[in-house]
Amino acid sequence: MAGERRENLQPPDSASGSRQSSRHRDSSVQALDFDKNRSGPEPSEASAVSSPHGLLRDSESLLSNVVEGIIDKDREKMRRQVRRYSSYASSMLCCLCAGSIQIFSLYGRLFLTHLHYSQYQVNAISIAAELALYLPVPVFGYLVDRYSPRPISLFAAILFCFGYVLAGFVYRAGPPKEDGYPPSVMMLAFVAIGAATCSMYLAAITACVKNFGRGKHRGVALSLPIAAFSLSGMWQSQVGNQFFTEQDVDGNKGEVDVYRFFLFLGFTLLAVGLIQSVAGVIVNEEELIDDTFEELERSGLLNESSFFRGNTIHDIEAVDEGYGTMSAGSIASGGALAASWAEEEERKKTFLLNGETRRFLSDHTMWLLALGFFLLSGPVETYINNFGTILETLYPPPLTVPASISPANQISLLAILSTASRFIAGFLSDLLAPVPPTTSQFITPSAIPRSNPFDDSSPTSGSFSISRLTLLLTTPFLLVLAYILLLSAVPSNPSLFPLITALIGTVNGVSFSLVPILISTVWGVTNFGTNWGIVAMMPALGATVWSIIYSVGYQAHAGAEGLCFGMECWAGSVGGMLGAAGLAGVAWWWMGWGRKGWWERGVVV
């Protein structure tokens, strides 16, 4: 039995075993050897691969590749951050210099004495500059969105230099009656300066918004350059008074040397614009466009869109090439394919921005925002331009305005509070505003829980919050309060005049800070230049309307010498501006609470 078991346990004979093993090897080779010309690894290579040392080398190579990939990504991220913050610093520098038109009063009176212009001609030059500053805003905003801030900054730099150099030589040539240039040439120079101011400011603001406008600190990111723009006039006027003055006969400082000061401004702004034309980039703009497309797709706004229907032919042609194959001319046409891809990306961007503009203009809440800004900013700008004459009506001859409330002190107070309130409003909007449940700006009311933009205990924030809309609604209230005090208390107690200036300066700063922040929050940053450009026209239109109303009322009560004294000179127009401020609050309240307003649509600001 044991022998039988041993016989049964013996292996088959070598011949049969060899044949079976050969058949197994042949069948395995036939199944796996799909490449007849493939040569197997050398014995030394096979042993190296299968040895522990070979596996260790492969692991080290894989780990090295992973580490190098991480390092490359970190370097690319660092480069993007450097470019982003360099662009922001360059934009801040532009805003700190671009507001030079604000100091027109520093040299405007010298046009009367040195060039012998009439008051009408000086006002015509100022009005031409203001129109060039405000009316082209939508056009420059459109160009910044389509072609990036860099070429627009270069255009602004050249225009600034042309305008100030031309104005300097016109001033140096003397009065028109003494072989000087006519006032129309000076007007042309200031039209160029106004347009350059508009384009450089918009290019800088748009660069800041598109680089930082989607983060949690968007308010500060936008309020800082806006505040810097209001500071530009302050430091430039000090530089003009300290370093560019003529000497009088006694050797003391005299009037500003307008010719040298204009050359200084022209070449300074040229240098600043050239820096911005290099550094003022929008980082990852393609990613911004793609993210906006994804948000539109999720919202259903791109279903069956003309853009995707237009791509169908290209998609079919791409499929016809066959998966994993290359046509005969595909390698040779690599440059053409790259150009086609770039053209497709540009078409995608144009399609998106055009759609964004149409969507912005078709949103009725946008018109309510613009209407409120028109009703609020018009009275504010009118007060800023005319508070000197209002103050003088309270002191008929032989009385004079006390030095403590002089127009010069009012200008400083107004500039300080307007600048400070712009930054504070942006900071508070970041600190207190509720956090939206989604970053998409194309949500429907059913997509998220309805949230109240006025609710300080909004469930979306998880803590105490005050929306940006609530902060903005404080400005009509403050303006109404200011005009009530101006009508009731100031005529009998003119020492309260600085309080009126402080309130209106605060309203000016907060509104000019929060309105663009709201536009970037509700309608996104992709088309911000165009959207803000449209709304930014409102102050010019409002100031024009209310300045005319104020002038008519003043002249109706003026005496034979064209001067008016007493509150009746401005009481009617101020009463109208008070009513306009109240209507601005109603328009903005309806924008938040009204039918199909932000609350009903679930928009969190």
Side-chain angles (χ1 to χ4, degrees), residues 15 39 45 52 58 85 93 152 162 195 203 252 258 285 288 292 314 335 363 404 537 579:
S39 59
E45 296 178 358
D58 291 343
Y85 282 99
L93 180 62
I152 309 304
F162 166 78
N252 300 322
V258 177
E285 186 176 17
L288 179 64
T292 306
H314 301 289
D363 190 343
S404 60
M537 291 178 61

Side-chain angles (χ1 to χ4, degrees), residues 71-388:
I71 293 175
D72 290 341
K73 288 182 179 179
D74 289 342
R75 288 174 178 172
E76 179 62 26
K77 183 178 179 180
M78 178 62 68
R79 282 193 292 266
R80 290 180 179 178
Q81 289 295 92
V82 169
R83 293 176 64 201
R84 181 178 285 112
Y85 282 99
S86 298
S87 176
Y88 191 83
S90 174
S91 300
M92 284 288 294
L93 180 62
C94 282
C95 290
L96 275 172
C97 298
S100 59
I101 200 171
Q102 302 174 25
I103 59 173
F104 183 86
S105 59
L106 180 67
Y107 47 78
R109 56 192 176 83
L110 298 178
F111 290 174
L112 297 171
T113 58
H114 181 79
L115 298 179
H116 300 165
Y117 289 171
S118 66
Q119 185 64 54
Y120 169 78
Q121 290 170 329
V122 174
N123 287 342
I125 293 171
S126 175
I127 291 172
E130 291 289 330
L131 293 176
L133 173 64
Y134 284 106
L135 293 184
V137 172
V139 177
F140 285 121
Y142 176 91
L143 294 175
V144 169
D145 284 333
R146 268 69 179 173
Y147 302 105
S148 84
R150 296 170 66 184
I152 309 304
S153 300
L154 178 60
F155 171 77
I158 296 172
L159 208 58
F160 260 131
C161 188
F162 166 78
Y164 274 119
V165 170
L166 178 60
F169 280 101
V170 171
Y171 185 87
R172 188 183 188 185
K177 295 181 179 180
E178 299 177 6
D179 297 330
Y181 294 97
S184 58
V185 181
M186 183 68 80
M187 184 182 298
L188 173 64
F190 274 88
V191 167
I193 293 169
T197 303
C198 170
S199 55
M200 182 173 285
Y201 173 73
L202 264 179
I205 292 295
T206 303
C208 294
V209 170
K210 292 194 175 185
N211 282 326
F212 294 94
R214 298 200 300 172
K216 61 180 180 179
H217 300 301
R218 71 178 69 189
V220 172
L222 185 54
S223 62
L224 280 176
I226 293 175
F229 182 78
S230 65
L231 281 176
S232 58
M234 296 178 62
W235 76 262
Q236 287 167 349
S237 63
Q238 293 300 317
V239 168
N241 283 321
Q242 295 297 325
F243 301 104
F244 295 94
T245 56
E246 299 173 343
Q247 288 186 347
D248 56 20
V249 293
D250 298 329
N252 300 322
K253 284 185 178 181
E255 299 288 354
V256 175
D257 187 342
V258 177
Y259 169 71
R260 291 195 302 124
F261 187 52
F262 278 175
L263 293 184
F264 164 76
L265 291 176
F267 288 110
T268 299
L269 288 163
L270 174 64
V272 169
L274 291 176
I275 293 173
Q276 178 73 350
S277 67
V278 175
V281 297
I282 298 175
V283 181
N284 290 347
E285 186 176 17
E286 296 82 3
E287 181 180 340
L288 179 64
I289 297 294
D290 291 338
D291 290 346
T292 306
F293 253 90
E294 291 177 3
E295 292 173 352
L296 285 168
E297 286 179 324
R298 287 196 298 267
S299 68
L301 296 177
L302 282 185
N303 292 338
E304 301 296 329
S305 70
S306 58
F307 179 81
F308 292 109
R309 287 198 300 269
N311 286 343
T312 304
I313 296 177
H314 301 289
D315 296 339
I316 294 174
E317 290 176 352
V319 172
D320 286 343
E321 294 287 342
Y323 177 76
T325 64
M326 297 182 66
S327 63
S330 59
I331 298 178
S333 61
L337 289 175
S340 176
W341 179 85
E343 181 182 354
E344 191 73 6
E345 287 295 309
E346 186 64 27
R347 195 172 74 91
K348 180 180 180 181
K349 177 181 177 180
T350 302
F351 169 82
L352 176 63
L353 295 179
N354 290 341
E356 287 287 278
T357 303
R358 288 191 297 268
R359 192 178 70 87
F360 181 71
L361 294 175
S362 62
D363 190 343
H364 76 283
T365 60
M366 164 262 161
W367 293 106
L368 290 173
L369 179 64
L371 175 62
F373 200 38
F374 168 81
L375 293 171
L376 185 87
S377 61
V380 169
E381 294 291 333
T382 301
Y383 175 86
I384 293 173
N385 294 333
N386 296 282
F387 67 80

